[in-house]
Structures are given as C-alpha cells and as structure tokens.
Amino acid sequence: MSTSLGHGKLVGSSELALQIKLDTGETTWIPRSVIHDDSELYDDDNNEGEVVVKTWWAEKEGLA
C-alpha cells in the first residue's frame, strides 16, 4: 500500500535518504527504501513532484 504526502521539493540527500520539503512547510528525511514506485520524486535527478511512500512508514512517522 502507498500513501501520497503531496507535492515536495528535494532539499538534500544522502546515500540512504532524501530530505524533502513538503508543501505543508514540513521538511523531513525519507529513507530511499520506503519511497514507492509511483512517486514522482525518488532520486537526486527528479527534484520536485508528488511524494508517494509506503503506508506503514507514513503511519509510523505520523505523516498519514
């Protein structure tokens, strides 16, 4: 299952995670392993778009 976090913009990255600023104004680190295949923002080359993550992670982080 997947959950959309809305539109986001890449503001930083590491080997294991992307730092994304969501339209809500919140900035969060999202592990690359929980970014869903449907996400428009998934790596350093695609730096803006809809952010879709695995539902279990979004719920764990209080984002769903």
Side-chain angles (χ1 to χ4, degrees), residues 7-47:
H7 188 268
K9 184 172 183 172
L10 182 69
V11 294
S13 66
S14 72
E15 186 176 325
L16 298 177
L18 299 177
Q19 186 180 30
I20 296 173
K21 183 173 185 177
L22 301 170
D23 276 351
T24 61
E26 181 177 2
T27 300
T28 187
W29 282 95
I30 300 177
R32 292 178 190 262
S33 62
V34 301
I35 296 174
H36 195 271
D37 290 342
D38 292 339
S39 189
E40 294 175 344
L41 199 165
Y42 53 85
D43 63 20
D44 299 334
D45 294 332
N46 297 330
N47 60 8

Side-chain angles (χ1 to χ4, degrees), residues 47-61:
N47 60 8
E48 196 167 346
E50 183 181 7
V51 181
V52 182
V53 297
K54 295 178 181 177
T55 299
W56 69 264
W57 183 84
E59 290 173 348
K60 179 179 144 271
E61 297 296 314

